Coordinates of all heavy atoms in Angstrom, one line a residue:
T555 N 19.9 -21.0 9.3 CA 18.6 -21.7 9.7 C 18.2 -22.6 8.6 O 18.6 -22.4 7.4 CB 17.5 -20.7 10.0 OG1 17.2 -20.0 8.7 CG2 17.9 -19.6 11.0
Q558 N 16.9 -20.5 5.7 CA 18.0 -19.9 4.9 C 18.6 -20.9 4.0 O 18.9 -20.6 2.8 CB 19.1 -19.3 5.8 CG 18.6 -18.0 6.5 CD 19.6 -17.5 7.5 OE1 20.2 -18.3 8.3 NE2 19.9 -16.2 7.5
Q580 N 10.8 -13.0 0.3 CA 10.1 -12.3 1.3 C 10.6 -12.8 2.6 O 10.7 -14.0 2.8 CB 8.6 -12.6 1.3 CG 7.9 -12.4 0.1 CD 6.4 -12.7 0.4 OE1 5.9 -12.2 1.3 NE2 5.8 -13.5 -0.4
G581 N 10.8 -12.0 3.6 CA 11.2 -12.5 4.9 C 10.9 -11.5 5.9 O 11.0 -10.3 5.7
E582 N 10.4 -12.0 7.1 CA 10.1 -11.1 8.2 C 11.3 -10.2 8.5 O 12.5 -10.7 8.3 CB 9.8 -11.9 9.4 CG 8.4 -12.4 9.4 CD 7.4 -11.3 9.7 OE1 7.8 -10.1 9.8 OE2 6.2 -11.5 9.9
V583 N 11.1 -9.1 9.1 CA 12.2 -8.3 9.6 C 13.1 -9.1 10.5 O 12.6 -9.8 11.4 CB 11.6 -7.1 10.5 CG1 12.7 -6.3 11.1 CG2 10.7 -6.3 9.7
G584 N 14.4 -9.2 10.1 CA 15.3 -9.9 11.0 C 15.4 -11.4 10.7 O 15.9 -12.2 11.5
S585 N 14.8 -11.9 9.6 CA 14.9 -13.3 9.3 C 16.1 -13.7 8.6 O 16.3 -14.9 8.3 CB 13.7 -13.7 8.5 OG 13.7 -13.0 7.3
G586 N 17.0 -12.8 8.4 CA 18.3 -13.1 7.8 C 18.3 -13.1 6.2 O 19.0 -13.9 5.6
K587 N 17.5 -12.3 5.6 CA 17.5 -12.2 4.2 C 18.8 -11.7 3.6 O 19.3 -12.2 2.6 CB 16.4 -11.1 3.7 CG 15.0 -11.5 3.9 CD 14.1 -10.5 3.3 CE 14.3 -9.1 3.9 NZ 14.1 -9.0 5.3
T588 N 19.4 -10.7 4.3 CA 20.7 -10.2 3.8 C 21.8 -11.2 3.7 O 22.5 -11.3 2.7 CB 21.2 -9.0 4.7 OG1 20.1 -8.2 5.0 CG2 22.3 -8.2 4.1
V590 N 21.2 -14.4 3.1 CA 20.9 -15.3 1.9 C 21.3 -14.5 0.6 O 21.9 -15.1 -0.3 CB 19.4 -15.6 1.9 CG1 19.0 -16.2 0.5 CG2 19.0 -16.5 3.0
L741 N 11.1 -16.6 3.8 CA 11.9 -16.9 5.0 C 11.0 -16.6 6.2 O 10.7 -15.4 6.4 CB 13.1 -16.0 5.1 CG 14.4 -16.5 4.4 CD1 15.5 -15.4 4.6 CD2 14.9 -17.8 5.0
D742 N 10.5 -17.6 6.9 CA 9.5 -17.2 7.9 C 10.0 -17.7 9.3 O 9.3 -17.7 10.3 CB 8.1 -17.8 7.7 CG 8.2 -19.3 7.3 OD1 9.3 -19.9 7.4 OD2 7.2 -19.8 6.8
Q743 N 11.3 -18.0 9.4 CA 11.8 -18.5 10.7 C 12.9 -17.5 11.2 O 13.7 -17.0 10.4 CB 12.4 -19.8 10.3 CG 13.0 -20.6 11.4 CD 13.7 -21.9 10.7 OE1 13.8 -22.0 9.4 NE2 14.2 -22.8 11.4
L744 N 12.8 -17.0 12.4 CA 13.8 -16.1 12.9 C 15.1 -16.8 13.3 O 15.0 -17.9 13.9 CB 13.3 -15.3 14.1 CG 12.2 -14.3 13.8 CD1 11.9 -13.4 15.0 CD2 12.5 -13.4 12.6
P745 N 16.3 -16.2 13.1 CA 17.5 -16.8 13.5 C 17.5 -17.0 15.0 O 16.9 -16.2 15.7 CB 18.6 -15.9 13.1 CG 18.0 -15.0 12.0 CD 16.5 -15.0 12.3
R748 N 17.2 -14.3 18.6 CA 16.3 -13.2 18.5 C 15.3 -13.1 19.6 O 14.8 -14.2 20.1 CB 15.5 -13.2 17.2 CG 16.3 -12.6 16.0 CD 16.8 -11.3 16.5 NE 17.6 -10.6 15.5 CZ 17.0 -10.0 14.4 NH1 15.7 -10.0 14.3 NH2 17.7 -9.3 13.5
R901 N 16.7 -7.0 18.6 CA 17.6 -7.6 17.6 C 18.7 -8.3 18.3 O 19.5 -9.0 17.7 CB 18.1 -6.7 16.6 CG 17.0 -6.0 15.7 CD 17.5 -5.0 14.8 NE 18.1 -5.6 13.6 CZ 17.5 -6.0 12.5 NH1 16.2 -5.8 12.4 NH2 18.1 -6.5 11.5

Side-chain angles (χ1 to χ4, degrees):
T555 65
Q558 285 174 315
Q580 309 185 46
E582 277 289 8
V583 175
S585 56
K587 290 185 302 301
T588 313
V590 170
L741 271 179
D742 46 12
Q743 181 186 8
L744 289 189
R748 272 314 181 73
R901 298 177 79 87

